[in-house]
Structure formats: structure tokens, C-alpha cells
Amino acid sequence: MEISRTTAQNLRLHHVAQLKRSSIKCLVVLFLNTSVWLGGTFLFMYLEGTNEAEHKCGVKRVQRDFIDALWEETRVLDEHDWKSSARKKIMNFEDQLHQAVEAGVSTYSGHKVWSLSNAFVYCFTLATTIGYGHLTPSSPMVRLVSILYGGLAAPLLAVLIGQISSILSSLLALMLITRQRDTEKSELENGLSATSLLTILVCYALGGSLLFSVIFLWDISDSVYFVFSTLSTVGFGDIVPQDSLVFLMLGGYILVGLSVYSLWLESVVGNIESQLSEMISRLENQRLDAERKSKKEQ
């Protein structure tokens, strides 16, 4: 059933007002989220960066001592004794490297893991609950801090995703109203169907996959895999952008994608609950009818 011009105008005014309110709330919540992310970035840079620097200094010292010791022994030992001593030192060197890796050192000594961009990405993945796992704290205390930080950042981001979802919902509703001749009244009042939202989500994800494949020089299959695992917050972590700074510049794409995914998920859940309610109602009606028939027969 098509809607009247007056109804369309009222719906348009309603969605415009809702769009303004959601936009203001979104800016406020975005400021709060950004402040929390920046605070967490500097916190983890301090906590893990200090630990990382200590262990990497130890790795450099082990490497230097290993080379110096070998050089000194070449002057006083014969070939057989030198080879035997070198084997022992190599085994000791490997043990010390394993200890450094277990302590969280995963890159060469000149590369800083807990940089500003990497720490920000870590806070962002904590807040979004994506959790790629490519960057993790090594200290038990920092792991506990990460859990507490996630408990604060995740609800704030959920509010932000909710506001972005509200903005998208209002924009889609306004677009539908402009096509009111071809639009059903129920669709305008209840929003887009799950099928329509899934189509939008797939198109959005495929467009982002093409963008990521161009920027990070990935195969299109790897890019699709990464985008869908990110927007669904699964975050496998086996394929992750190496350049954290460029990845952060695409953070807006991820936030909008999470919002579209949230709209689709909410629509699917609503449909499932509606089907379950109808099924339970039918079963209740059948039970009542059976009870009435049994009473009449008695």
C-alpha cells in the first residue's frame, strides 16, 4: 500500500529531526571514544614500550657478547676446541633468544613494536572487540590492564556504533521517502528488510575489499577475507595490514561497516524473534482449540 503525501511529509520531518539528534550525539561520543583511544595509546606505549626496550637491549647485548667471545677464542684455541666452544655458545645464544621471544620480543632490535600507530590500533581493536591478535602484551599486569581497558572502551564504542547506525537508518529512510511511489508503507515505518540490508552490506564489503587490495597490494580473495572477518568482528588475525598508520586512516570505513553489519544483524534477529513468536502463538492456539474440543466431547 502506497503512502499519502501528508504521511510522507510527516515521516520526512521525523527522520530529519532524528538525523540531527543522532549527528550531535555521534560527534560527542566520537570525541569521548577518541579521547579514550588516545589515553590508552599512551598508556600501553609506556607500559609495554618500557618492557620491550629492556628485552631488546638484552638481545643486543647477547648478540654483541656472542660475537666478541667468538673473536677472542679464535686467537687462543685450535680448530677443534674452537668449533666445540662455538657450538656451545650457539646453543646458549638460541636459548637466550627463545627467552626474549617468550618475553614478547617478536621483531628485530631496531624495530619498535609498540609505536604510536601500533598502540592506537591495539586500543581500536580492543574497543571494537575485533582483536586480531597480531599485537599482544607480554606482561601479566598489562594483560590485566587490557581487560579493564576493554571493559571501558567497548561500551563506549557500542554507543558510537549505535549512533552511526541511527544516522544510516535515517538516511536510508529519507532515500526511501523520495521514492515513495515505489515504496510500501510498512517498509518506510519499519525500515529496510534484512535482504536489502544484506545487499547493502555485501556491496559495501566488496567495495572495501577492492580498496584494501589496491592499498595493501593483497589478492582480492585475501582482501575479501580480511574485510568480512573485520566487519563481523571475528578478527582472525592471520591477514593484517602491515602499515598501521594507513590502516588507521581507513578506520572510518570500519566504523561505518560495523554499523551496517549491526543494522543487518538487528533486522535478522528481529525476524527470527517474530517467526518464533508466531510459531509459539500458533502452538498456543492449537493447544487451546484441542482443550475446547476435549471439553465439548466430555
Side-chain angles (χ1 to χ4, degrees):
M1 185 176 72
E2 295 183 0
I3 60 174
S4 64
R5 183 174 300 178
T6 303
T7 304
Q9 183 65 22
N10 291 334
L11 286 173
R12 184 182 293 108
L13 292 175
H14 168 73
H15 287 297
V16 168
Q18 185 178 4
L19 181 61
K20 291 179 180 178
R21 290 193 299 269
S22 298
S23 299
I24 295 173
K25 291 179 182 178
C26 183
L27 290 174
V28 174
V29 178
L30 180 60
F31 173 77
L32 293 175
N33 274 273
T34 305
S35 300
V36 170
W37 296 339
L38 286 174
T41 298
F42 291 113
L43 175 64
F44 289 112
M45 282 181 65
Y46 172 75
L47 294 176
E48 273 297 316
T50 304
N51 184 49
E52 178 189 1
E54 290 177 356
H55 285 289
K56 286 193 173 180
C57 287
V59 171
K60 288 182 179 179
R61 184 176 61 254
V62 168
Q63 182 182 16
R64 184 179 62 251
D65 294 345
F66 173 74
I67 295 173
D68 291 343
L70 285 180
W71 172 250
E72 290 295 331
E73 290 180 354
T74 56
R75 301 178 180 180
V76 296
L77 298 179
D78 58 24
E79 181 181 355
H80 181 269
D81 291 338
W82 183 88
K83 287 181 178 179
S84 177
S85 177
R87 291 190 188 97
K88 293 179 181 179
K89 283 183 169 53
I90 289 174
M91 293 177 63
N92 184 45
F93 183 52
E94 289 178 348
D95 291 338
Q96 291 172 319
L97 287 179
H98 282 304
Q99 292 176 7
V101 170
E102 290 175 357
V105 178
S106 57
T107 59
Y108 57 88
S109 299
H111 182 257
K112 188 176 182 181
V113 175
W114 289 90
S115 61
L116 180 65
S117 57
N118 283 346
F120 196 94
V121 168
Y122 178 72
C123 293
F124 183 77
T125 55
L126 273 180
T128 56
T129 68
I130 295 174
Y132 294 118
H134 66 299
L135 183 65
T136 55
S138 58
S139 169
M141 183 193 71
V142 182
R143 291 171 183 168
L144 178 60
V145 172
S146 298
I147 294 173
L148 297 176
Y149 177 84
L152 170 66
L156 270 178
L157 187 110
V159 176
L160 177 61
I161 295 299
Q163 295 306 318
I164 297 176
S165 299
S166 179
I167 291 173
L168 293 175
S169 181
S170 297
L171 289 174
L172 291 172
L174 290 172
M175 291 174 61
L176 285 175
I177 291 173
T178 59
R179 298 172 53 249
Q180 56 179 314
R181 292 181 179 179
D182 303 323
T183 305
E184 296 293 330
K185 183 177 180 180
S186 60
E187 192 173 31
L188 281 177
E189 293 177 346
N190 301 325
L192 290 174
S193 64
T195 304
S196 300
L197 289 172
L198 179 60
T199 303
I200 294 172
L201 177 62
V202 170
C203 293
Y204 185 83
L206 291 177
S209 300
L210 182 61
L211 176 65
F212 277 81
S213 66
V214 171
I215 293 176
F216 297 110
L217 302 178
W218 288 343
D219 292 336
I220 189 64
S221 58
D222 291 340
S223 187
V224 169
Y225 173 78
F226 169 77
V227 170
F228 275 93
S229 65
T230 296
L231 298 187
S232 62
T233 70
V234 175
F236 293 112
D238 50 344
I239 298 177
V240 180
Q242 296 298 320
D243 193 333
S244 299
L245 186 59
V246 177
F247 178 61
L248 286 176
M249 294 179 181
L250 300 171
Y253 169 84
I254 295 176
L255 289 177
V256 175
L258 290 173
S259 302
V260 176
Y261 179 78
S262 175
L263 285 174
W264 172 75
L265 198 63
E266 183 180 353
S267 179
V268 171
V269 171
N271 289 340
I272 293 174
E273 289 181 347
S274 177
Q275 294 294 329
L276 288 175
S277 298
E278 291 180 3
M279 182 183 69
I280 292 173
S281 296
R282 285 197 299 269
L283 291 175
E284 286 290 331
N285 291 333
Q286 291 175 2
R287 183 180 64 82
L288 292 174
D289 290 341
E291 290 179 353
R292 294 193 192 99
K293 287 181 180 180
S294 62
K295 289 180 179 180
K296 288 180 179 180
E297 291 175 356
Q298 292 175 356

